[in-house]
Amino acid sequence: MKLSSDTLAVLQNFATINNGIQVKAGDSLRTISANKTLLGLAHVPDTFEAPFCIYDLNQFLGTLSLFDSPELEFGENAVEIIEGATHLKYVYADPNTIVTVPEKRLECDGDIEFDLPQKSLDRLQKAANILGLPNLVITLDDAGEYLIAVATDVKNSTSNNFKVKLNGHTSSGATFKMVLKFDNLKLIPDDYHVRISSKGISHFDGKKAEYFVAVEQNESEYDNPDS
């Protein structure tokens, strides 16, 4: 089989989350960060016939770059990478050396729900990089009329901040400050529909992949007097 560009893009993104990956038979890819604050899931155009593990995903992707358009034959203990007269054997890792994704799917109640276009996410991440801001805060504007996303440093009361208005909704009467870390937002560039639960988890659902991202519970606040 040949790996499609979409599958390679997902693998490249997942390598930024965890350098090891366990691939199961089928057309789904999953990964989880070592500290379990970010979980990524994706359906890809390619179907893997058998399970395998890669210990160093960046190295594996780098190996593929040695070829122009190789055929991959996934065997029991290794994948054979073949292009014309060129042949390379890449040995699988022991599954015990990989941080694996739990079998049970996470669920996320949408106490707060909004759309996050790629353009807005790019701006927030760029502002965070330029200004050295570690946190993304989802809250209401000062008048309590609409949702905003703020790149800021929640541990610095004099921090710079960059705000973007969001198209979304929350429970009537609820007040909140939901804090995430930009370090956990290693997402494929895309438009996302986001749901955040007061229980401390968020779900970023895009066309190319979906991610469950931990909310910083010690820094976050959620109060709904009607519940």
Side-chain angles (χ1 to χ4, degrees), residues 74-167:
F74 292 92
E76 183 177 348
N77 300 307
V79 55
E80 306 282 347
I81 307 172
I82 304 165
E83 186 175 56
T86 306
H87 183 282
L88 189 147
K89 178 182 179 181
Y90 196 94
V91 180
Y92 302 145
D94 184 326
N96 293 325
T97 65
I98 307 297
V99 179
T100 56
V101 179
E103 289 296 327
K104 185 178 179 180
R105 179 178 170 84
L106 289 176
E107 298 297 334
C108 179
D109 298 327
D111 295 306
I112 305 162
E113 197 164 348
F114 58 91
D115 293 320
L116 184 60
Q118 180 181 334
K119 184 176 181 180
S120 296
L121 180 59
D122 288 346
R123 284 182 169 178
L124 287 160
Q125 290 178 321
K126 184 176 181 180
N129 290 333
I130 292 172
L131 298 171
L133 305 173
N135 300 116
L136 175 66
V137 176
I138 306 302
T139 187
L140 294 169
D141 72 299
D142 292 339
E145 295 178 352
Y146 52 82
L147 289 169
I148 57 172
V150 188
T152 188
D153 183 347
V154 297
K155 294 184 178 180
N156 180 359
S157 61
T158 62
S159 169
N160 295 314
N161 60 71
F162 179 85
K163 300 178 181 179
V164 173
K165 183 178 178 181
L166 300 171
N167 178 23

Side-chain angles (χ1 to χ4, degrees), residues 23-220:
V23 178
K24 297 197 170 186
D27 64 352
S28 296
L29 294 173
R30 310 188 303 169
T31 191
I32 191 169
S33 61
N35 59 7
K36 299 185 179 179
T37 57
L38 172 59
L39 185 153
L41 308 166
H43 289 286
V44 294
D46 305 316
T47 300
F48 297 95
E49 305 259 337
F52 61 93
C53 291
I54 301 293
Y55 181 77
D56 190 336
L57 186 51
N58 279 308
Q59 182 188 71
F60 176 69
L61 293 169
T63 300
L64 293 180
S65 72
L66 297 171
F67 302 83
D68 292 324
S69 183
E71 288 282 346
L72 280 69
E73 298 179 0
F74 292 92
E76 183 177 348
N77 300 307
V79 55
E80 306 282 347
I81 307 172
I82 304 165
E83 186 175 56
T86 306
H87 183 282
L88 189 147
K89 178 182 179 181
Y90 196 94
V91 180
Y92 302 145
D94 184 326
N96 293 325
T97 65
I98 307 297
V99 179
T100 56
V101 179
E103 289 296 327
K104 185 178 179 180
R105 179 178 170 84
L106 289 176
E107 298 297 334
C108 179
D109 298 327
D111 295 306
I112 305 162
E113 197 164 348
F114 58 91
D115 293 320
L116 184 60
Q118 180 181 334
K119 184 176 181 180
S120 296
L121 180 59
D122 288 346
R123 284 182 169 178
L124 287 160
Q125 290 178 321
K126 184 176 181 180
N129 290 333
I130 292 172
L131 298 171
L133 305 173
N135 300 116
L136 175 66
V137 176
I138 306 302
T139 187
L140 294 169
D141 72 299
D142 292 339
E145 295 178 352
Y146 52 82
L147 289 169
I148 57 172
V150 188
T152 188
D153 183 347
V154 297
K155 294 184 178 180
N156 180 359
S157 61
T158 62
S159 169
N160 295 314
N161 60 71
F162 179 85
K163 300 178 181 179
V164 173
K165 183 178 178 181
L166 300 171
N167 178 23
H169 62 86
T170 184
S171 301
S172 177
T175 58
F176 53 88
K177 180 183 77 172
M178 306 305 284
V179 181
L180 298 94
K181 287 184 177 179
F182 276 108
D183 283 348
N184 290 332
L185 295 176
K186 298 174 181 177
L187 316 180
I188 289 179
D190 201 355
D191 298 327
Y192 288 94
H193 184 73
V194 184
R195 305 171 79 218
I196 302 180
S197 169
S198 58
K199 297 175 183 177
I201 191 168
S202 63
H203 181 221
F204 288 70
D205 190 13
K207 300 179 186 70
K208 302 172 185 175
E210 59 178 314
Y211 303 84
F212 289 89
V213 186
V215 173
E216 300 300 299
Q217 296 198 52
N218 292 337
E219 308 289 347
S220 299

